[in-house]
Amino acid sequence: FKFFDQVITSESAGVMKPHRGIFTYALNTVGADAGSSLFIDDSHTNIDAARQMGFMGFHFTQYHHFEKFYDDQLAKHQQCSRI
């Protein structure tokens, strides 16, 4: 988890993805807004729910794909909330 300031789980939020409540909980926990936040998941359903709330979304399939995405995209956007 070296890329993240904080990790939010369904257990800590008390609600399961793709329920809006988990995304609201995550934003409130770190004091961020959805437009500057990235949601990573292996489920298109969950990513779509996050995008509907304004998050950036990344479909995780393999670690090296995320690492490349991070190097190519996120490193340029230091304002992105890493939750």
Side-chain angles (χ1 to χ4, degrees), residues 42 58-68:
D42 61 352
F58 179 80
H59 182 234
F60 184 88
T61 55
Q62 295 180 3
Y63 181 78
H64 71 274
H65 291 162
F66 174 73
E67 208 167 32
K68 181 170 177 18

Side-chain angles (χ1 to χ4, degrees), residues 9-16 22 25:
T9 65
S10 296
E11 181 180 7
S12 67
V15 64
M16 300 287 291
I22 194 166
Y25 174 85

Side-chain angles (χ1 to χ4, degrees), residues 45-75:
T45 300
N46 295 339
I47 293 168
D48 290 344
R51 285 181 175 155
Q52 287 176 6
M53 291 191 65
F55 282 77
M56 293 177 279
F58 179 80
H59 182 234
F60 184 88
T61 55
Q62 295 180 3
Y63 181 78
H64 71 274
H65 291 162
F66 174 73
E67 208 167 32
K68 181 170 177 18
F69 172 78
Y70 182 86
D71 290 343
D72 292 349
Q73 300 297 319
L74 293 184

Side-chain angles (χ1 to χ4, degrees), residues 17-37:
K17 299 173 287 185
H19 190 279
R20 292 177 63 92
I22 194 166
F23 303 112
T24 301
Y25 174 85
L27 295 173
N28 290 338
T29 298
V30 299
D33 65 88
S36 65
S37 300

